[in-house]
Amino acid sequence: GRTWVRILDFALIYAMLALGLNIVVGFAGLLDLGYIAFYAVGAYTWALLASPQFGLHLPFWAIIPIGFVVAGIFGVLLGAPTLRLRGDYLAIVTLAFGEMIRILLLNWYELTKGPDGLTGIPRPSFFGLPFKRYPDEGVETFHTFFGLEYDPMQRIIFLYYLILVLALITNAFTIKIRRLPVGRAWEALREDEIACKSLGVNPRNTKL
């Protein structure tokens, strides 16, 4: 049913967030309490670019990497001046950043529509094939392209598989990066930063 698939979608999204948090807190030992703010920045970037208020009408697949990049830029902008801090001090700064983003998104009504949320965002398509029963003239749909009978669950199931693939990629990435030199450097920094400095590891750049 639709409800259960949506629950699984959220479970997989939170699993991806947990895998990312495990890199920051688990591997590198950075007590980041504002981690969720980067998720919010990426999500709102995607929603704003997809919403009709900007009139860009960018396709679903083009906006996803833009959301990744913008969230990463915010991570660098916050991390560059703050990663010299450790322990409780880093936690306080990142917690403040998370609260700033939350308050900004809730109160900048002209841009984010505050607690009402952004509306009019077009539904995702299957590589340009919309999930519509009655498409626009000259536009082929998902079910006609594959010779299927239209079912509104097709879009919901497609989103589930998309999120599942992204979660598997995220999991594979975290396993791979832990075995790379940068992953080993994170774990070494977590155990003893002074010893890492003596071995020529740049703590700030490695954390960033």
Side-chain angles (χ1 to χ4, degrees):
R2 184 183 297 244
T3 302
W4 283 107
V5 176
R6 288 193 182 279
I7 290 170
L8 287 171
D9 288 347
F10 279 108
L12 288 169
I13 289 170
Y14 292 137
M16 280 190 278
L17 288 169
L19 287 166
L21 188 62
N22 187 43
I23 289 178
V24 177
V25 181
F27 295 177
L30 302 172
L31 190 55
D32 186 350
L33 299 182
Y35 172 80
I36 199 68
F38 304 114
Y39 171 51
V41 167
Y44 266 88
T45 298
W46 185 90
L48 287 166
L49 291 176
S51 68
Q53 72 183 78
F54 282 106
L56 298 176
H57 303 293
L58 294 175
F60 172 78
W61 295 101
I63 306 174
I64 288 181
I66 296 174
F68 292 161
V69 170
V70 173
I73 289 170
F74 270 79
V76 171
L77 291 175
L78 177 68
T82 61
L83 284 178
R84 296 178 185 274
L85 304 173
R86 284 189 289 177
D88 297 343
Y89 301 103
L90 179 63
I92 291 167
V93 170
T94 53
L95 178 63
F97 175 73
E99 276 298 289
M100 286 165 56
I101 293 294
R102 183 184 69 84
I103 292 168
L104 184 72
L105 293 176
L106 284 176
N107 290 281
W108 195 355
Y109 193 86
E110 295 78 10
L111 181 69
T112 66
K113 304 303 179 187
D116 295 339
L118 294 162
T119 57
I121 297 172
R123 291 177 174 179
S125 64
F126 183 82
F127 300 100
L129 298 172
F131 294 93
K132 289 182 177 180
R133 185 191 297 271
Y134 305 112
D136 300 330
E137 189 176 348
V139 176
E140 193 165 26
T141 62
F142 175 82
H143 69 279
T144 57
F145 182 82
F146 289 101
L148 303 171
E149 191 173 334
Y150 175 77
D151 186 343
M153 279 297 292
Q154 289 165 350
R155 177 177 58 86
I156 307 296
I157 293 169
F158 162 68
L159 278 176
Y160 165 74
Y161 280 115
L162 173 62
I163 297 168
L164 176 63
V165 167
L166 289 173
L168 292 173
I169 291 171
T170 305
N171 185 49
F173 174 79
T174 56
I175 292 170
K176 179 70 176 175
I177 203 167
R178 187 175 186 178
R179 297 171 183 166
L180 294 175
V182 66
R184 299 191 186 281
W186 286 335
E187 293 181 337
L189 281 170
R190 182 190 64 202
E191 300 301 326
D192 194 332
E193 189 167 317
I194 295 172
C196 285
K197 284 183 180 178
S198 69
L199 294 171
V201 175
N202 186 321
R204 179 171 164 274
N205 291 350
T206 304
K207 291 175 183 178
L208 193 59

